[in-house]
Amino acid sequence: QQQVKQSPQSLIVQKGGISIINCAYENTAFDYFPWYQQFPGKGPALLIAIRPDVSEKKEGRFTISFNKSAKQFSLHIMDSQPGDSATYFCAASSSGAGSYQLTFGKGTKLSVIP
Amino acid sequence: GAGVSQSPSNKVTEKGKDVELRCDPISGHTALYWYRQSLGQGLEFLIYFQGNSAPDKSGLPSDRFSAERTGGSVSTLTIQRTQQEDSAVYLCASSPINWGEQETQYFGPGTRLLVL
């Protein structure tokens, strides 16, 4: 049973546009929601993360929106650039689990075209 | 400072052989995780080590998989009698113990395993 559902699988955006990736979770014990960026041949790199006590977090061109009641969160990339072309993963973990293991979405391959 | 390192970066083996994958976490990070990334299953948790506590092995897919962490630092993931479905990228991550940072996991570049 997939606990974190991510959409879309792939996304093509024009340079300067807004990229939006959505995730939904089922486990209400999740209390940490990071987004990772992965380039081909590299390991995932933490981009931005949010906890459920806030509804939005912004770092530069990247914003997480969080809706606790709907159990959904999303990543917005403003002014998308060709260098943002990568695969993005949402994830979730629970401090109550003890291990903070991450449950990942299936990933979104973003292509930003000039 | 240095990030998480993994070796080898690529490994090709024959079905039925044993393989060992190594992870060097960031210095001072007490938590260490192994994940597997495959085309069909995405990123899956395998095992977690924290200090001297017993590891959380709940994600290991079969008893052919095992891992150890020596001296609270380097970790080795061993796959015995490899099968073709074991082909994947094996990722290691580490975390600091500092309050408020313990959920932040830093990933290595992975070991790409191909079982022929």
Side-chain angles (χ1 to χ4, degrees):
Chain A
Q1 183 181 9
Q2 185 184 355
Q3 294 195 56
V4 179
K5 294 184 179 180
Q6 183 172 347
S7 63
Q9 274 188 296
S10 62
L11 182 61
I12 300 174
V13 173
Q14 288 272 3
K15 177 183 175 181
I18 303 173
S19 303
I20 302 174
I21 305 170
N22 300 299
C23 283
Y25 63 97
E26 299 166 7
N27 187 349
T28 55
F30 287 148
D31 55 9
Y32 176 72
F33 302 89
W35 284 89
Y36 280 84
Q37 179 188 57
Q38 186 177 31
F39 292 104
K42 305 292 185 183
L46 179 66
L47 197 58
I48 187 172
I50 197 168
R51 300 180 196 277
D53 53 343
V54 297
S55 60
E56 186 175 282
K57 183 175 181 180
K58 183 176 180 179
E59 290 183 1
R61 296 185 295 110
F62 302 93
T63 299
I64 299 180
S65 297
F66 185 82
N67 186 328
K68 187 175 181 178
S69 61
K71 293 187 285 185
Q72 294 176 346
F73 59 110
S74 61
L75 175 70
H76 294 229
I77 306 174
M78 311 299 287
D79 188 26
S80 300
Q81 299 297 312
D84 297 330
S85 297
T87 299
Y88 293 80
F89 293 92
C90 62
S93 69
S94 167
S95 57
S99 72
Y100 304 107
Q101 63 181 252
L102 290 167
T103 299
F104 285 88
K106 296 283 191 185
T108 296
K109 185 174 182 180
L110 172 65
S111 299
V112 181
I113 54 178
Chain B
V4 177
S5 60
Q6 293 186 244
S7 60
S9 54
N10 293 280
K11 177 72 177 179
V12 181
T13 191
E14 294 179 348
K15 177 181 173 182
K17 300 279 190 181
D18 298 352
V19 295
E20 285 189 354
L21 313 179
R22 176 187 169 106
C23 172
D24 280 273
I26 293 172
S27 177
H29 282 193
T30 58
L32 186 148
Y33 302 78
W34 283 97
Y35 292 86
R36 179 170 69 175
Q37 184 173 25
S38 55
L39 281 175
Q41 300 298 322
L43 277 148
E44 305 170 281
F45 165 76
L46 295 177
I47 189 169
Y48 160 77
F49 295 91
Q50 173 59 275
N52 295 319
S53 302
D56 176 355
K57 304 179 183 179
S58 60
L60 294 179
S62 77
D63 58 8
R64 296 186 296 104
F65 288 72
S66 64
E68 63 177 21
R69 189 177 185 192
T70 54
S73 181
V74 171
S75 177
T76 302
L77 177 69
T78 300
I79 309 173
Q80 296 179 310
R81 305 181 302 281
T82 52
Q83 303 295 311
Q84 289 182 327
E85 60 263 28
D86 299 334
S87 297
V89 177
Y90 290 83
L91 291 159
C92 176
S94 69
S95 293
I97 197 172
N98 313 46
W99 178 253
E101 296 181 58
Q102 66 271 30
E103 299 106 325
T104 305
Q105 297 181 29
Y106 299 87
F107 283 81
T111 292
R112 284 149 192 80
L113 175 66
L114 178 61
V115 182
L116 300 176

